[in-house]
Amino acid sequence: MDFDIPTFWLIIGFAGQALFSARFFVQWIMSEKLKKSVIPVAFWYFSVFGGITLLAYAIHREDPVFIAGQGLGLLVYARNLWFIWKERQEGNAAS
Protein backbone atom coordinates (compact mmCIF):
# COMPACT_ATOMS: atom_id res chain seq x y z
CA MET A 1 0.00 0.00 0.00
CA ASP A 2 1.55 3.28 -1.08
CA PHE A 3 0.58 6.47 0.79
CA ASP A 4 1.45 9.97 -0.24
CA ILE A 5 2.72 12.20 2.55
CA PRO A 6 -0.46 14.26 3.03
CA THR A 7 -2.57 11.10 3.39
CA PHE A 8 -0.04 9.63 5.81
CA TRP A 9 -0.19 12.74 8.01
CA LEU A 10 -3.98 12.83 7.89
CA ILE A 11 -3.98 9.25 9.16
CA ILE A 12 -1.54 10.23 11.93
CA GLY A 13 -3.71 13.22 12.84
CA PHE A 14 -6.92 11.21 12.98
CA ALA A 15 -5.20 8.38 14.90
CA GLY A 16 -3.98 10.88 17.48
CA GLN A 17 -7.43 12.41 17.78
CA ALA A 18 -8.97 8.94 18.21
CA LEU A 19 -6.49 8.07 20.97
CA PHE A 20 -7.02 11.41 22.65
CA SER A 21 -10.82 11.08 22.45
CA ALA A 22 -10.75 7.50 23.76
CA ARG A 23 -9.66 8.80 27.14
CA PHE A 24 -13.06 10.40 27.66
CA PHE A 25 -14.83 7.11 26.93
CA VAL A 26 -12.56 5.29 29.38
CA GLN A 27 -13.30 7.89 32.06
CA TRP A 28 -17.03 7.84 31.37
CA ILE A 29 -17.30 4.04 31.41
CA MET A 30 -15.34 3.75 34.66
CA SER A 31 -17.37 6.50 36.33
CA GLU A 32 -20.62 4.84 35.27
CA LYS A 33 -19.37 1.49 36.54
CA LEU A 34 -18.40 2.90 39.94
CA LYS A 35 -21.26 5.43 40.10
CA LYS A 36 -18.83 8.25 40.93
CA SER A 37 -16.43 10.47 39.05
CA VAL A 38 -13.04 8.80 38.66
CA ILE A 39 -10.03 9.18 36.40
CA PRO A 40 -8.52 5.76 35.68
CA VAL A 41 -4.82 5.36 34.86
CA ALA A 42 -5.76 4.45 31.26
CA PHE A 43 -7.08 8.02 30.88
CA TRP A 44 -3.54 9.35 31.37
CA TYR A 45 -1.99 6.80 29.02
CA PHE A 46 -4.46 7.69 26.28
CA SER A 47 -3.72 11.36 27.01
CA VAL A 48 0.03 10.84 26.62
CA PHE A 49 -0.11 8.67 23.50
CA GLY A 50 -2.81 10.78 21.87
CA GLY A 51 -0.94 13.95 22.82
CA ILE A 52 2.36 12.68 21.37
CA THR A 53 0.66 11.65 18.13
CA LEU A 54 -1.17 14.96 17.84
CA LEU A 55 2.03 16.85 18.65
CA ALA A 56 3.80 15.07 15.78
CA TYR A 57 0.94 16.05 13.50
CA ALA A 58 1.01 19.65 14.74
CA ILE A 59 4.78 19.87 14.18
CA HIS A 60 4.33 18.53 10.65
CA ARG A 61 1.63 21.14 10.03
CA GLU A 62 3.88 23.81 11.58
CA ASP A 63 0.98 25.06 13.71
CA PRO A 64 2.43 26.93 16.72
CA VAL A 65 -0.90 27.13 18.55
CA PHE A 66 -1.51 23.39 18.24
CA ILE A 67 2.15 22.65 19.13
CA ALA A 68 1.98 24.77 22.29
CA GLY A 69 -1.33 23.25 23.36
CA GLN A 70 -0.24 19.64 22.90
CA GLY A 71 3.26 20.24 24.24
CA LEU A 72 2.05 21.83 27.46
CA GLY A 73 -0.70 19.24 27.87
CA LEU A 74 1.88 16.45 27.64
CA LEU A 75 3.65 17.88 30.67
CA VAL A 76 0.45 17.65 32.72
CA TYR A 77 -0.34 14.11 31.56
CA ALA A 78 3.19 12.88 32.20
CA ARG A 79 3.23 14.51 35.65
CA ASN A 80 0.01 12.73 36.59
CA LEU A 81 1.50 9.39 35.51
CA TRP A 82 4.61 10.21 37.55
CA PHE A 83 2.46 10.76 40.65
CA ILE A 84 0.67 7.44 40.03
CA TRP A 85 3.95 5.52 39.54
CA LYS A 86 5.49 7.15 42.61
CA GLU A 87 2.45 6.32 44.77
CA ARG A 88 2.54 2.69 43.59
CA GLN A 89 6.26 2.40 44.34
CA GLU A 90 5.78 3.84 47.82
CA GLY A 91 2.88 1.45 48.37
CA ASN A 92 5.00 -1.52 47.25
CA ALA A 93 7.89 -0.41 49.48
CA ALA A 94 5.55 -0.21 52.47
CA SER A 95 4.25 -3.75 51.89
Side-chain angles (χ1 to χ4, degrees), residues 9-82:
W9 281 106
L10 280 176
I11 291 168
I12 294 295
F14 279 117
Q17 191 60 52
L19 285 167
F20 202 69
S21 297
R23 68 195 191 129
F24 293 112
F25 290 107
V26 168
Q27 192 274 332
W28 177 32
I29 291 166
M30 187 60 71
S31 292
E32 288 294 332
K33 181 179 178 182
L34 298 177
K35 303 294 184 214
K36 66 179 185 173
S37 181
V38 295
I39 300 178
V41 175
F43 178 92
W44 299 114
Y45 281 107
F46 276 112
S47 297
V48 167
F49 292 120
I52 289 169
T53 308
L54 287 172
L55 180 59
Y57 179 74
I59 291 169
H60 169 73
R61 300 280 302 183
E62 299 178 358
D63 184 329
V65 174
F66 200 11
I67 291 168
Q70 290 304 317
L72 293 173
L74 282 170
L75 295 174
V76 174
Y77 314 143
R79 186 70 172 150
N80 276 286
L81 282 173
W82 172 256

